[in-house]
Amino acid sequence: MNYFSQALTWLNDPLNWTNPGGLFDRLIEHLQITAWAVLIGCIIGWPIGIWLGHRGKGGAAVITVANLTLAVPTLALLTILPLTPLGFGRPPVIVALAVFAVPPLLANAYTGLRSIDPETIEAAKGMGLSGGQVLRRVELPLAVPYLAAGLRTAAVQVVATAALATFVNGGGLGEIIAAGFGLGINVGGGQIVAGGIVVVALALIVEGLLALVQRLVTPAPLRAVKRRRPVRATSVG
């Protein structure tokens, strides 16, 4: 059976989008879960990475923490967290995905500050800037491409992984896929593929939008440097 053609037929049915629990509802849930998880990841990962990068210490700790975080399977967290006071629903999903978002945010924040030419920092200090002023006026603006790259990587990873929320009744686009499996592969195969297509499309859209944001927030002089030597999300491990 051609499940791809069935998926296109399913996606072209307006009722599958507008009915309660349809694609529009699940898409909003998916985006809300992603936004909260990435926000929490930023609140945890960025300050630690920036602080350690500014101090010039803790590189080994950053790598260790990031690797340990990546080593924890998201599905395992989704299985364990509902048994805690968090219960079932969105809270355990958001926490699990936030843990998944921290490594690229933390590693890129640290790398961004450590990649700055030490002579630039010494020149800023020679002009009388304090440590905090150097961080705010020099280091953070120059680290923007790395911070944006970490955000981009974390957001795309979370968008793709948030489909697992369906296992703990957390909502999101995974519910569409799970409902298709509930109908059986012969009946719901098109719906399963359709749900997968929407998740992939959403991840690509988020990637494209954040790539544009990354370019817009990068200072113009750094864009020329980036064209010669592209800034990539740091790979940890």
Side-chain angles (χ1 to χ4, degrees):
M1 299 180 68
N2 192 339
Y3 295 119
F4 185 76
S5 64
Q6 291 181 13
L8 294 179
T9 301
W10 193 90
L11 289 171
N12 283 324
D13 186 347
L15 293 179
N16 291 328
W17 291 81
T18 58
N19 277 339
L23 272 173
F24 280 133
D25 289 345
R26 298 308 182 187
L27 180 60
I28 292 173
E29 292 174 354
H30 204 95
L31 291 174
Q32 289 174 340
I33 292 169
T34 298
W36 278 109
V38 173
L39 176 61
I40 294 173
C42 289
I43 292 173
I44 296 172
W46 273 351
I48 297 174
I50 290 170
W51 180 67
L52 292 176
H54 175 67
R55 286 172 52 87
K57 299 178 181 179
V62 169
I63 294 174
T64 300
V65 170
N67 283 336
L68 287 175
T69 307
L70 285 174
V72 179
T74 306
L75 186 57
L77 281 178
L78 287 174
T79 304
I80 296 171
L81 289 176
L83 303 179
T84 68
L86 289 174
F88 285 81
R90 292 190 190 181
V93 173
I94 292 172
V95 171
L97 293 176
V99 171
F100 189 51
V102 165
L105 293 165
L106 172 63
N108 277 274
Y110 177 83
T111 302
L113 269 74
R114 297 311 304 153
S115 66
I116 299 172
D117 189 342
E119 293 183 359
T120 302
I121 298 175
E122 290 302 321
K125 292 180 178 178
M127 295 174 62
L129 296 182
S130 65
Q133 290 174 324
V134 170
L135 175 62
R136 293 191 302 272
R137 299 183 184 181
V138 179
E139 292 179 315
L140 284 179
L142 292 176
V144 162
Y146 289 87
L147 295 174
L151 175 62
R152 183 175 161 188
T153 302
V156 173
Q157 289 179 348
V158 171
V159 164
T161 311
L164 296 176
T166 185
F167 286 105
V168 291
N169 196 29
L173 292 171
E175 298 285 352
I176 301 294
I177 300 173
F181 278 111
L183 295 173
I185 192 66
N186 291 330
V187 177
Q191 181 173 335
I192 295 169
V193 176
I197 290 173
V198 175
V199 172
V200 171
L202 181 60
L204 292 175
I205 292 171
V206 170
E207 166 74 17
L209 289 176
L210 290 182
L212 177 61
V213 171
Q214 179 179 346
R215 176 174 174 79
L216 292 176
V217 300
T218 300
L222 293 182
R223 295 179 191 173
V225 175
K226 187 178 177 182
R227 283 194 292 269
R228 294 194 297 269
R229 181 171 55 84
V231 175
R232 300 181 181 275
T234 302
S235 177
V236 181

